[in-house]
Amino acid sequence: MKDRNQLRDRIHEIIFEADTPEGKRFDVIIMILIVASVLTVMLESVSVIQWQYEEVFYIIEWIFTIIFTIEYILRLYSVRYTWRYATSFYGVIDLLAIIPTYLSIFFMGSQSLLVIRALRLMRVFRIFKLGQFMSEGMIIVKAMKASRVKISIFLFFILIVVTIIGAVMYLVEGTFDNTGFTSIPKSIYWAIVTLTTVGFGDITPQTSLGQFLSAVVMILGYAVIAVPTGIVSAELVDQAKAAATNTQACRYCGEDGHDDDAKHCKYCGNILNEPHNH
């Protein structure tokens, strides 16, 4: 049992820790393989190349998938709380990176979803000790979470506004031919496109009143953009006081991004610097 735990700890150190030479070397190799696999999927989508090298692409995809499958199994084995890591952000991404190839056995074309492997490149921040970028990224994530209630209320209000505007525009423009306002849902679609300042131009008002309302909605669109920006910005200021983080990963749940002076994992509560022998 002791030897098994030592083996687990050793595998964990190599796979999860970017502070050791072996760990950094392992992660750099994985990053290179991820980039190569994504480029392979992109090249395979070019019909001329795909016809000429179909069998080569097929073999290469399975080689990458087998390597990433072994890596995923080792990650699950090396953490003490397997399910916690498997359901974490990186755990889910690691799983999604290998599933498409296996699905391609039953569903043709699903291997194109392998481009999701590019999300695994997010580990580059930990590998090259770009802790400051990780910290800033966490600030943005926390600010978005803290803003979700306010933004949800704001979006609900916007839905009410576009529904009213759409109904009004249908009453104003719906009686005329070739205006595009053939129904209230169509008019709501126009209101959303106009309010977001996208303006496809596939539906345009013809009457003077309709054009006036359209101008009001366009001007209102700039205010709509400003409100959620202000909400998130205020939360960013509140979250900017977050403590510095490091790249150490918990050997129990696999999570990283702990404070520099942390002795226990902030996700599962277990000790971070547990002594072990190689």
Side-chain angles (χ1 to χ4, degrees), residues 72-92:
Y72 178 69
I73 293 173
L74 289 175
R75 287 184 182 275
L76 294 178
Y77 173 76
S78 63
V79 294
R80 306 294 173 84
Y81 297 157
T82 302
W83 182 248
R84 185 183 289 270
Y85 173 74
T87 55
S88 67
F89 174 77
Y90 283 118
V92 172

Side-chain angles (χ1 to χ4, degrees), residues 111-146:
Q111 66 270 20
S112 299
L113 297 174
L114 288 172
V115 292
I116 200 171
R117 286 175 181 167
L119 290 176
R120 300 191 67 201
L121 294 173
M122 292 175 64
R123 282 197 173 98
V124 72
F125 296 112
R126 181 176 63 86
I127 295 170
F128 295 107
K129 300 182 180 180
L130 302 178
Q132 183 62 31
F133 292 96
M134 290 178 60
S135 177
E136 296 297 330
M138 288 304 298
I139 289 175
I140 295 175
V141 171
K142 290 178 180 178
M144 293 297 293
K145 287 182 178 179

Side-chain angles (χ1 to χ4, degrees), residues 186 188-205 214 218:
K186 273 275 191 180
I188 292 175
Y189 156 77
W190 168 87
I192 294 173
V193 170
T194 306
L195 190 67
T196 55
T197 69
V198 175
F200 290 131
D202 52 341
I203 302 176
T204 55
S214 179
M218 283 185 250

Side-chain angles (χ1 to χ4, degrees), residues 75-255:
R75 287 184 182 275
L76 294 178
Y77 173 76
S78 63
V79 294
R80 306 294 173 84
Y81 297 157
T82 302
W83 182 248
R84 185 183 289 270
Y85 173 74
T87 55
S88 67
F89 174 77
Y90 283 118
V92 172
I93 293 300
D94 291 342
L95 179 61
L96 292 177
I98 59 177
I99 284 181
T101 304
Y102 295 110
L103 287 178
S104 66
I105 299 176
F106 308 99
F107 306 101
M108 294 296 295
S110 59
Q111 66 270 20
S112 299
L113 297 174
L114 288 172
V115 292
I116 200 171
R117 286 175 181 167
L119 290 176
R120 300 191 67 201
L121 294 173
M122 292 175 64
R123 282 197 173 98
V124 72
F125 296 112
R126 181 176 63 86
I127 295 170
F128 295 107
K129 300 182 180 180
L130 302 178
Q132 183 62 31
F133 292 96
M134 290 178 60
S135 177
E136 296 297 330
M138 288 304 298
I139 289 175
I140 295 175
V141 171
K142 290 178 180 178
M144 293 297 293
K145 287 182 178 179
S147 306
R148 65 182 182 274
V149 176
K150 296 177 183 177
I151 292 178
S152 297
I153 295 172
F154 175 74
L155 289 177
F156 180 71
F157 171 75
I158 292 300
L159 287 175
I160 294 175
V161 170
V162 296
T163 301
I164 295 173
I165 292 174
V168 171
M169 288 299 292
Y170 173 71
L171 292 175
V172 174
E173 298 285 337
T175 55
F176 295 89
D177 296 329
N178 301 322
T179 60
F181 295 89
T182 55
S183 64
I184 292 180
K186 273 275 191 180
S187 301
I188 292 175
Y189 156 77
W190 168 87
I192 294 173
V193 170
T194 306
L195 190 67
T196 55
T197 69
V198 175
F200 290 131
D202 52 341
I203 302 176
T204 55
Q206 302 297 322
T207 67
S208 298
L209 179 58
Q211 291 170 352
F212 172 76
L213 290 174
S214 179
V216 172
V217 173
M218 283 185 250
I219 295 173
L220 184 62
Y222 288 100
V224 167
I225 294 172
V227 172
T229 303
I231 293 173
V232 177
S233 297
E235 292 295 340
L236 281 172
V237 173
D238 294 336
Q239 298 294 335
K241 299 177 182 179
T245 58
N246 57 42
T247 61
Q248 185 173 13
C250 174
R251 68 181 66 255
Y252 287 88
C253 66
E255 295 285 357

